[in-house]
């Protein structure tokens, strides 16, 4: 809080210009009748220093500069602008007792579902092969596999994965889900597998594997030689989680051998993907620049305010983070 009694919200990212959050935050605080001072760090990978850091109450972040937290001694809420909080937890200076918030947004789930269902159907219905045929004015029917004979596995049956699974099952795909704990309510048309014990049965001969996991110590490198070998030959791998979920060399080898026929990748270890990265020219790899889904700034602003009010009231957050699990 500053000397005028205003809540101080710091916008912090080392790569993204967070200025887009200014107007929506101001609007929700105004509507709630709460005075607000917004401060914004220039997007920079290195942190020179935060002026007046002791007045900051809330840090709204996407990949905040490393070493930020000791400069904000009174901060009470670190709020992610996305569903994942791996970009917060990677900083060793993050205080262990600081409350972390993430975004849970039905619109984000619908955007993700559109992306995942589009990728699954494009792979299943061989759209890349038809695009090649069209370029050659070549009319040829390829074998059509019914959706009921095509098995899609969703690794990560959370807010986003559950919605994708429901829509894929409604189309008629065989759908398997995998999560850490057993499903509270089984989804109609989906089989569910849980934990390390369920991993093998989940992966077994999947035609398409969708990674929608949070990035944690347990899930890093989930798409590796062993898991890829368990899929059906020529399988489709869709990574909409984080770049570090994929062991890149293992996926390269699986694409080269034909064990993986198509890889749709939306997240990368380094973003933007470097110009000289092999993915740009690897046959069978389709790249999108981390756009699978987005949350509207208005929703981020509303959830940030709601979380801030919950912190002040000593209540649990709507979209809380379990630090022990890492998501
Ligand atoms: P949730 O926290 O709602 O769900 C996470 C799911 O992963 C849960 O089902 C959880 O199991 C499961 N899980 C976690 N750890 C493990 C594990 N070790 N083994 C098996 N399952 C595990 O997350 P969301 O659905 O909101 O988001 C998922 C991820 O999607 C985000 O963390 C982010 O990485 C990615 N994302 C990507 C975007 C993009 O544009 N590419 C945009 C937004 C998000 P359980 O149910 O038992 O807790």
């Amino acid at each position: 809080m500053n000397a005028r009694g205003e809540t101080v919200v710091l916008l912090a990212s080392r790569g993204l210009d967070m200025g887009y959050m200014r107007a929506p935050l101001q609007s929700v605080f105004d509507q709630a009748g709460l005075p607000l001072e917004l401060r914004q760090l220039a997007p920079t990978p290195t942190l020179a220093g935060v002026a007046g850091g002791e007045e900051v109450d809330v840090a709204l972040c996407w990949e905040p500069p490393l070493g930020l937290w000791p400069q904000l001694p009174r901060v009470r809420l670190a709020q992610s602008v996305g569903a994942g909080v791996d970009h917060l937890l990677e900083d060793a200076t993050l205080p262990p007792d600081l409350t972390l918030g993430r975004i849970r947004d039905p619109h984000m789930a619908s955007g993700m579902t559109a992306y995942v269902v589009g990728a699954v159907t494009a792979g299943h219905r061989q759209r890349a092969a038809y695009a090649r045929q069209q370029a050659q004015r070549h009319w040829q029917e390829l074998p059509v596999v019914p959706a009921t004979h095509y098995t899609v596995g969703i690794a990560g049956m959370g807010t986003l994965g559950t919605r994708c699974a429901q829509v894929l099952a409604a189309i008629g795909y065989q759908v398997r889900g995998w999560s850490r704990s057993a499903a509270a309510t089984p989804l109609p048309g989906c089989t569910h597998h849980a934990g390390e014990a369920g991993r093998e049965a989940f992966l077994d001969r999947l035609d398409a594997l969708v990674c929608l996991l949070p990035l944690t110590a347990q899930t890093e490198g989930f798409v590796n030689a062993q898991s890829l070998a368990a899929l059906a030959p020529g399988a489709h791998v869709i990574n909409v989680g984080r770049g570090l979920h994929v062991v890149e060399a293992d996926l390269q080898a699986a694409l080269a051998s034909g064990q993986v026929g198509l890889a749709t990748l939306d997240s990368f270890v380094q973003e933007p993907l470097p110009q000289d990265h092999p993915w740009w020219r690897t046959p069978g790899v389709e790249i999108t620049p981390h756009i699978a889904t987005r949350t509207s700034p208005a929703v981020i602003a509303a959830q940030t305010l709601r979380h801030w009010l919950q912190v002040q009231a000593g209540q649990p957050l709507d979209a809380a983070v379990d630090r022990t699990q890492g998501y």
Side-chain angles (χ1 to χ4, degrees):
M1 188 171 286
N2 64 18
R4 294 185 298 277
E6 297 161 332
T7 298
V8 178
V9 176
L10 181 73
L11 306 175
S13 172
R14 55 183 184 264
L16 179 71
D17 182 348
M18 299 272 292
Y20 75 101
M21 283 307 308
R22 283 181 168 273
L25 275 171
Q26 192 65 62
S27 167
V28 292
F29 272 74
D30 285 351
Q31 279 169 29
L34 292 173
L36 170 71
E37 186 196 344
L38 275 168
R39 298 181 190 170
Q40 186 179 353
L41 292 179
T44 168
T46 51
L47 190 67
V50 181
E54 69 286 350
E55 293 178 346
V56 171
D57 301 295
V58 178
L60 181 60
C61 309
W62 179 254
E63 297 182 347
L66 295 172
L68 173 67
W69 305 102
Q71 307 211 31
L72 313 179
R74 299 209 183 128
V75 69
R76 291 174 64 195
L77 172 65
Q79 173 69 42
S80 169
V81 295
V85 289
D86 44 299
H87 61 106
L88 295 173
L89 296 171
E90 71 179 350
D91 188 341
T93 73
L94 186 74
D97 51 353
L98 177 58
T99 301
L100 308 185
R102 65 189 201 87
I103 297 295
R104 190 178 295 144
D105 173 15
H107 300 292
M108 182 150 64
S110 87
M112 181 59 79
T113 306
Y115 183 98
V116 167
V117 172
V120 168
T121 56
H124 164 224
R125 301 307 304 269
Q126 306 181 72
R127 297 308 298 250
Y130 284 116
R132 286 193 294 275
Q133 288 187 187
Q134 182 174 345
Q136 295 161 358
R137 303 181 190 198
H138 180 56
W139 179 282
Q140 188 188 337
E141 197 176 308
L142 301 172
V144 177
V145 176
T148 47
H149 289 63
Y150 192 88
T151 309
V152 185
I154 313 273
M157 287 289 282
T159 314
L160 305 181
T162 297
R163 186 76 175 276
C164 294
Q166 286 168 325
V167 174
L168 288 165
I171 292 172
Y173 289 106
Q174 295 286 327
V175 180
R176 284 183 212 154
W178 187 57
S179 58
R180 198 172 46 80
S181 47
T185 321
L187 286 183
C190 302
T191 55
H192 189 262
H193 303 265
E196 284 310 306
R199 181 199 281 243
E200 200 179 321
F202 165 71
L203 291 168
D204 186 37
R205 297 187 66 79
L206 286 176
D207 295 300
L209 169 64
V210 179
C211 177
L212 252 172
L213 291 162
L215 183 64
T216 67
Q218 288 71 41
T219 65
E220 184 171 339
F222 167 70
V223 180
N224 57 30
Q226 194 190 13
S227 49
L228 294 171
L231 308 179
H236 184 186
V237 172
I238 299 165
N239 185 28
V240 276
R242 292 286 184 258
L244 284 170
H245 283 131
V246 174
V247 179
E248 291 190 351
D250 292 359
L251 181 57
Q252 272 286 359
L255 280 156
S257 73
Q259 171 60 16
V260 170
L262 178 62
T264 302
L265 306 177
D266 185 57
S267 297
F268 304 90
V269 175
Q270 195 182 338
E271 296 180 359
L273 189 65
Q275 288 290 313
D276 58 354
H277 197 288
W279 285 153
W280 288 115
R281 48 183 201 286
T282 303
V285 171
E286 295 191 359
I287 288 169
T288 48
H290 205 141
I291 48 69
T293 192
R294 282 279 179 276
T295 296
S296 82
V299 170
I300 297 169
Q303 290 204 3
T304 301
L305 173 60
R306 186 156 168 76
H307 283 171
W308 174 230
L309 296 174
Q310 287 169 332
V311 165
Q312 289 177 295
Q315 295 166 349
L317 302 194
D318 285 349
V321 174
D322 180 344
R323 290 249 204 148
T324 55
Q325 299 302 340
Y327 68 100

